[in-house]
Amino acid sequence: MILVTGATGAVGTHVVSSLVEAGAKVRALTRNPDKAKFDPSVDVHVADVDKPETLPGALEGVERVFMLAPSHHAPAHDAAIVTAAKGTGVRHLVKISGLGTIDGAPDAITQWHLEGERAVKESGIPWTILQPGEFMSNTFYWTWGIRGEGVVREPHGDTLQAMIDPRDIGSVAAVVLTTEGHEGKSYPITGPEALTPKQRVAKISAALGREIQFVQLTPQQARDNWVMLGAPEELIDAVQSVLADTSGRWAKVYPTVEELTGKPSRSFDDWLTDNLPAFR
């Protein structure tokens, strides 16, 4: 049995579906079973990583665990799962981390993931770390501005990011969770190209057949907007730090998806074609 945490999120849903396609027995952990729209073969288990006392039941009969947590919760969530997994039948932990951990980037998001990686690596349980770039699905945050005004307002419009389609993360995770030889390895995973926010907006504009304007905000303007939307301030500071990083660490493209799955990673154009209705 494979336990998938964060199972109803943008990545977790694809991990579950890829595992089902591979013929694996899957248990999906969720706090909200109403969001769990999975194949009938999936065992939906209600538990909350913020309530560690609910985890032992979720781990019953589990041999492998896919670990995904919001970055600012990663240290606590990863530690809770590791603690619950010790002394059970779990024999492989697969954690979602981030590209920044490859070279120890100084931003808070990377530091949160490094803490989580440390907990996994020191658990005594065989582990694998997946280090994806920014999720292409984060582009959905622009839908309200594109549909309502034909405008995207963001800071740092020229920062390159080697984004990845969450479906490819799901495919890679399924391979790592169902085949041998991945223990003790860290895998950076990206799409086939690095794009700036301005370039992504241009692609959306071309696909929609109408002009979408990119308005570059100052960091303070962006911060004010995110505060108004209710984002935690510690997360805002961390995201701002990543977006302002022009070192190139976020732009490097890795061939890992094709090496592990045998299929090339999906481009932003591929992702956009499949998700264009959301922007109309």
PDB file of all heavy atoms in Angstrom, residues 140 143 146-147 207-208 210 271-280:
ATOM      1  N   PHE A 140      -2.732  29.430 -12.651  1.00  0.00           N
ATOM      2  CA  PHE A 140      -4.167  29.605 -12.418  1.00  0.00           C
ATOM      3  C   PHE A 140      -4.454  30.828 -11.542  1.00  0.00           C
ATOM      4  O   PHE A 140      -5.570  31.358 -11.566  1.00  0.00           O
ATOM      5  CB  PHE A 140      -4.768  28.367 -11.757  1.00  0.00           C
ATOM      6  CG  PHE A 140      -4.973  27.205 -12.692  1.00  0.00           C
ATOM      7  CD1 PHE A 140      -4.586  25.923 -12.319  1.00  0.00           C
ATOM      8  CD2 PHE A 140      -5.568  27.375 -13.929  1.00  0.00           C
ATOM      9  CE1 PHE A 140      -4.785  24.847 -13.159  1.00  0.00           C
ATOM     10  CE2 PHE A 140      -5.768  26.301 -14.786  1.00  0.00           C
ATOM     11  CZ  PHE A 140      -5.382  25.034 -14.403  1.00  0.00           C
ATOM     12  N   THR A 143      -6.007  33.759 -13.402  1.00  0.00           N
ATOM     13  CA  THR A 143      -7.238  33.627 -14.186  1.00  0.00           C
ATOM     14  C   THR A 143      -8.212  34.780 -13.937  1.00  0.00           C
ATOM     15  O   THR A 143      -8.830  35.280 -14.876  1.00  0.00           O
ATOM     16  CB  THR A 143      -7.940  32.296 -13.897  1.00  0.00           C
ATOM     17  OG1 THR A 143      -8.146  32.146 -12.476  1.00  0.00           O
ATOM     18  CG2 THR A 143      -7.114  31.126 -14.407  1.00  0.00           C
ATOM     19  N   ILE A 146      -7.085  37.883 -15.825  1.00  0.00           N
ATOM     20  CA  ILE A 146      -7.172  37.706 -17.278  1.00  0.00           C
ATOM     21  C   ILE A 146      -8.625  37.717 -17.736  1.00  0.00           C
ATOM     22  O   ILE A 146      -8.985  38.394 -18.710  1.00  0.00           O
ATOM     23  CB  ILE A 146      -6.468  36.394 -17.686  1.00  0.00           C
ATOM     24  CG1 ILE A 146      -4.950  36.538 -17.505  1.00  0.00           C
ATOM     25  CG2 ILE A 146      -6.807  36.020 -19.131  1.00  0.00           C
ATOM     26  CD1 ILE A 146      -4.176  35.263 -17.721  1.00  0.00           C
ATOM     27  N   ARG A 147      -9.477  37.002 -17.021  1.00  0.00           N
ATOM     28  CA  ARG A 147     -10.884  36.947 -17.418  1.00  0.00           C
ATOM     29  C   ARG A 147     -11.595  38.290 -17.182  1.00  0.00           C
ATOM     30  O   ARG A 147     -12.417  38.718 -17.998  1.00  0.00           O
ATOM     31  CB  ARG A 147     -11.616  35.843 -16.642  1.00  0.00           C
ATOM     32  CG  ARG A 147     -11.191  34.434 -17.016  1.00  0.00           C
ATOM     33  CD  ARG A 147     -12.209  33.415 -16.543  1.00  0.00           C
ATOM     34  NE  ARG A 147     -12.456  33.505 -15.111  1.00  0.00           N
ATOM     35  CZ  ARG A 147     -12.035  32.624 -14.211  1.00  0.00           C
ATOM     36  NH1 ARG A 147     -11.335  31.571 -14.608  1.00  0.00           N
ATOM     37  NH2 ARG A 147     -12.308  32.777 -12.935  1.00  0.00           N
ATOM     38  N   ALA A 207      -2.670  32.394 -27.305  1.00  0.00           N
ATOM     39  CA  ALA A 207      -3.602  31.264 -27.308  1.00  0.00           C
ATOM     40  C   ALA A 207      -5.051  31.717 -27.244  1.00  0.00           C
ATOM     41  O   ALA A 207      -5.941  31.108 -27.848  1.00  0.00           O
ATOM     42  CB  ALA A 207      -3.290  30.334 -26.135  1.00  0.00           C
ATOM     43  N   LEU A 208      -5.311  32.813 -26.515  1.00  0.00           N
ATOM     44  CA  LEU A 208      -6.672  33.340 -26.396  1.00  0.00           C
ATOM     45  C   LEU A 208      -7.073  34.188 -27.603  1.00  0.00           C
ATOM     46  O   LEU A 208      -8.260  34.435 -27.831  1.00  0.00           O
ATOM     47  CB  LEU A 208      -6.799  34.189 -25.134  1.00  0.00           C
ATOM     48  CG  LEU A 208      -6.730  33.462 -23.795  1.00  0.00           C
ATOM     49  CD1 LEU A 208      -6.717  34.469 -22.646  1.00  0.00           C
ATOM     50  CD2 LEU A 208      -7.904  32.494 -23.633  1.00  0.00           C
ATOM     51  N   ARG A 210      -6.361  37.364 -27.941  1.00  0.00           N
ATOM     52  CA  ARG A 210      -6.637  38.739 -27.520  1.00  0.00           C
ATOM     53  C   ARG A 210      -5.494  39.237 -26.649  1.00  0.00           C
ATOM     54  O   ARG A 210      -4.772  38.426 -26.042  1.00  0.00           O
ATOM     55  CB  ARG A 210      -7.967  38.847 -26.783  1.00  0.00           C
ATOM     56  CG  ARG A 210      -8.056  38.058 -25.483  1.00  0.00           C
ATOM     57  CD  ARG A 210      -9.478  38.136 -24.930  1.00  0.00           C
ATOM     58  NE  ARG A 210      -9.648  37.329 -23.723  1.00  0.00           N
ATOM     59  CZ  ARG A 210      -9.497  37.788 -22.484  1.00  0.00           C
ATOM     60  NH1 ARG A 210      -9.148  39.064 -22.280  1.00  0.00           N
ATOM     61  NH2 ARG A 210      -9.700  37.004 -21.447  1.00  0.00           N
ATOM     62  N   TRP A 271       0.737  22.427 -21.404  1.00  0.00           N
ATOM     63  CA  TRP A 271      -0.115  22.649 -20.229  1.00  0.00           C
ATOM     64  C   TRP A 271      -1.220  23.649 -20.556  1.00  0.00           C
ATOM     65  O   TRP A 271      -2.385  23.449 -20.207  1.00  0.00           O
ATOM     66  CB  TRP A 271       0.736  23.163 -19.064  1.00  0.00           C
ATOM     67  CG  TRP A 271      -0.067  23.426 -17.830  1.00  0.00           C
ATOM     68  CD1 TRP A 271      -0.373  22.546 -16.834  1.00  0.00           C
ATOM     69  CD2 TRP A 271      -0.699  24.671 -17.472  1.00  0.00           C
ATOM     70  NE1 TRP A 271      -1.159  23.144 -15.875  1.00  0.00           N
ATOM     71  CE2 TRP A 271      -1.369  24.448 -16.243  1.00  0.00           C
ATOM     72  CE3 TRP A 271      -0.767  25.927 -18.062  1.00  0.00           C
ATOM     73  CZ2 TRP A 271      -2.102  25.452 -15.605  1.00  0.00           C
ATOM     74  CZ3 TRP A 271      -1.503  26.930 -17.433  1.00  0.00           C
ATOM     75  CH2 TRP A 271      -2.151  26.687 -16.213  1.00  0.00           C
ATOM     76  N   LEU A 272      -0.850  24.720 -21.258  1.00  0.00           N
ATOM     77  CA  LEU A 272      -1.804  25.780 -21.564  1.00  0.00           C
ATOM     78  C   LEU A 272      -2.912  25.262 -22.489  1.00  0.00           C
ATOM     79  O   LEU A 272      -4.096  25.585 -22.298  1.00  0.00           O
ATOM     80  CB  LEU A 272      -1.084  26.966 -22.196  1.00  0.00           C
ATOM     81  CG  LEU A 272      -1.935  28.186 -22.521  1.00  0.00           C
ATOM     82  CD1 LEU A 272      -2.627  28.714 -21.269  1.00  0.00           C
ATOM     83  CD2 LEU A 272      -1.071  29.274 -23.161  1.00  0.00           C
ATOM     84  N   THR A 273      -2.547  24.472 -23.471  1.00  0.00           N
ATOM     85  CA  THR A 273      -3.544  23.914 -24.397  1.00  0.00           C
ATOM     86  C   THR A 273      -4.602  23.132 -23.634  1.00  0.00           C
ATOM     87  O   THR A 273      -5.807  23.239 -23.907  1.00  0.00           O
ATOM     88  CB  THR A 273      -2.859  23.006 -25.430  1.00  0.00           C
ATOM     89  OG1 THR A 273      -1.981  23.786 -26.243  1.00  0.00           O
ATOM     90  CG2 THR A 273      -3.887  22.330 -26.324  1.00  0.00           C
ATOM     91  N   ASP A 274      -4.175  22.364 -22.652  1.00  0.00           N
ATOM     92  CA  ASP A 274      -5.096  21.520 -21.888  1.00  0.00           C
ATOM     93  C   ASP A 274      -5.906  22.299 -20.851  1.00  0.00           C
ATOM     94  O   ASP A 274      -6.914  21.805 -20.352  1.00  0.00           O
ATOM     95  CB  ASP A 274      -4.331  20.388 -21.205  1.00  0.00           C
ATOM     96  CG  ASP A 274      -3.741  19.409 -22.198  1.00  0.00           C
ATOM     97  OD1 ASP A 274      -4.264  19.334 -23.331  1.00  0.00           O
ATOM     98  OD2 ASP A 274      -2.756  18.735 -21.859  1.00  0.00           O
ATOM     99  N   ASN A 275      -5.452  23.510 -20.518  1.00  0.00           N
ATOM    100  CA  ASN A 275      -6.104  24.270 -19.445  1.00  0.00           C
ATOM    101  C   ASN A 275      -6.634  25.632 -19.896  1.00  0.00           C
ATOM    102  O   ASN A 275      -7.070  26.434 -19.074  1.00  0.00           O
ATOM    103  CB  ASN A 275      -5.128  24.472 -18.283  1.00  0.00           C
ATOM    104  CG  ASN A 275      -4.809  23.168 -17.575  1.00  0.00           C
ATOM    105  OD1 ASN A 275      -5.580  22.678 -16.757  1.00  0.00           O
ATOM    106  ND2 ASN A 275      -3.645  22.596 -17.890  1.00  0.00           N
ATOM    107  N   LEU A 276      -6.628  25.871 -21.210  1.00  0.00           N
ATOM    108  CA  LEU A 276      -7.015  27.187 -21.737  1.00  0.00           C
ATOM    109  C   LEU A 276      -8.434  27.611 -21.338  1.00  0.00           C
ATOM    110  O   LEU A 276      -8.657  28.810 -21.072  1.00  0.00           O
ATOM    111  CB  LEU A 276      -6.869  27.196 -23.255  1.00  0.00           C
ATOM    112  CG  LEU A 276      -6.941  28.579 -23.924  1.00  0.00           C
ATOM    113  CD1 LEU A 276      -5.841  29.500 -23.392  1.00  0.00           C
ATOM    114  CD2 LEU A 276      -6.843  28.441 -25.441  1.00  0.00           C
ATOM    115  N   PRO A 277      -9.408  26.688 -21.238  1.00  0.00           N
ATOM    116  CA  PRO A 277     -10.754  27.136 -20.853  1.00  0.00           C
ATOM    117  C   PRO A 277     -10.797  27.927 -19.544  1.00  0.00           C
ATOM    118  O   PRO A 277     -11.663  28.780 -19.354  1.00  0.00           O
ATOM    119  CB  PRO A 277     -11.531  25.830 -20.746  1.00  0.00           C
ATOM    120  CG  PRO A 277     -10.864  24.918 -21.721  1.00  0.00           C
ATOM    121  CD  PRO A 277      -9.405  25.262 -21.613  1.00  0.00           C
ATOM    122  N   ALA A 278      -9.856  27.646 -18.643  1.00  0.00           N
ATOM    123  CA  ALA A 278      -9.843  28.351 -17.346  1.00  0.00           C
ATOM    124  C   ALA A 278      -9.543  29.833 -17.518  1.00  0.00           C
ATOM    125  O   ALA A 278      -9.867  30.636 -16.616  1.00  0.00           O
ATOM    126  CB  ALA A 278      -8.815  27.714 -16.422  1.00  0.00           C
ATOM    127  N   PHE A 279      -8.941  30.221 -18.637  1.00  0.00           N
ATOM    128  CA  PHE A 279      -8.538  31.614 -18.842  1.00  0.00           C
ATOM    129  C   PHE A 279      -9.502  32.390 -19.741  1.00  0.00           C
ATOM    130  O   PHE A 279      -9.327  33.577 -19.949  1.00  0.00           O
ATOM    131  CB  PHE A 279      -7.129  31.670 -19.439  1.00  0.00           C
ATOM    132  CG  PHE A 279      -6.071  31.065 -18.559  1.00  0.00           C
ATOM    133  CD1 PHE A 279      -5.759  29.716 -18.643  1.00  0.00           C
ATOM    134  CD2 PHE A 279      -5.409  31.853 -17.619  1.00  0.00           C
ATOM    135  CE1 PHE A 279      -4.797  29.151 -17.804  1.00  0.00           C
ATOM    136  CE2 PHE A 279      -4.456  31.287 -16.793  1.00  0.00           C
ATOM    137  CZ  PHE A 279      -4.155  29.931 -16.880  1.00  0.00           C
ATOM    138  N   ARG A 280     -10.504  31.720 -20.268  1.00  0.00           N
ATOM    139  CA  ARG A 280     -11.428  32.388 -21.205  1.00  0.00           C
ATOM    140  C   ARG A 280     -12.431  33.270 -20.448  1.00  0.00           C
ATOM    141  O   ARG A 280     -12.831  32.935 -19.356  1.00  0.00           O
ATOM    142  CB  ARG A 280     -12.186  31.355 -22.039  1.00  0.00           C
ATOM    143  CG  ARG A 280     -11.280  30.597 -23.006  1.00  0.00           C
ATOM    144  CD  ARG A 280     -12.102  29.865 -24.052  1.00  0.00           C
ATOM    145  NE  ARG A 280     -11.270  29.014 -24.899  1.00  0.00           N
ATOM    146  CZ  ARG A 280     -10.534  29.450 -25.907  1.00  0.00           C
ATOM    147  NH1 ARG A 280     -10.529  30.735 -26.204  1.00  0.00           N
ATOM    148  NH2 ARG A 280      -9.811  28.623 -26.630  1.00  0.00           N
TER     149      ARG A 280
END
